[in-house]
Amino acid sequence: SVGSRTAPVIVIVEGDIRFNGGPNIWGLIVGIDPTYIDPDADPANPCANPTDIQITGTAYMHGAMASDCDLDLGAGTYNTFPYRCQLD
């Protein structure tokens, strides 16, 4: 597990994220594009290198996952359980 219900984490990742097995993640994970975002790019898709999230098995997110780009959740199973008290 990463974090807990009483001690959630905030994780900011530049680049790609990989989950293996069946982790329980408590808190907030944010994926950001580590490359320069071109101000002249298409506003609908300004990211040059979106965050890839590779899941092998099943990941249990107790909280939220966000990105400044589109998320590619791969072929695994992603379950989310939002807890408002963790995000307040």
Side-chain angles (χ1 to χ4, degrees):
S1 288
V2 176
S4 68
R5 185 177 186 129
T6 58
V9 297
I10 297 175
V11 178
I12 300 172
V13 178
E14 272 192 19
D16 299 336
I17 304 167
R18 291 187 179 91
F19 297 112
N20 295 313
N24 282 280
I25 303 118
W26 298 82
L28 173 65
I29 294 181
V30 179
I32 60 173
D33 180 359
T35 59
Y36 173 74
I37 296 177
D38 183 356
D40 297 323
D42 177 5
N45 188 18
C47 295
N49 185 18
T51 300
D52 269 344
I53 298 176
Q54 297 178 0
I55 299 171
T56 303
T58 302
Y60 300 94
M61 184 73 219
H62 304 271
M65 187 177 301
S67 176
D68 62 345
C69 301
D70 290 339
L71 290 174
D72 178 3
L73 294 177
T77 302
Y78 172 75
N79 297 300
T80 185
F81 306 96
Y83 290 95
R84 181 177 170 185
C85 62
Q86 290 181 337
L87 304 174
D88 283 343

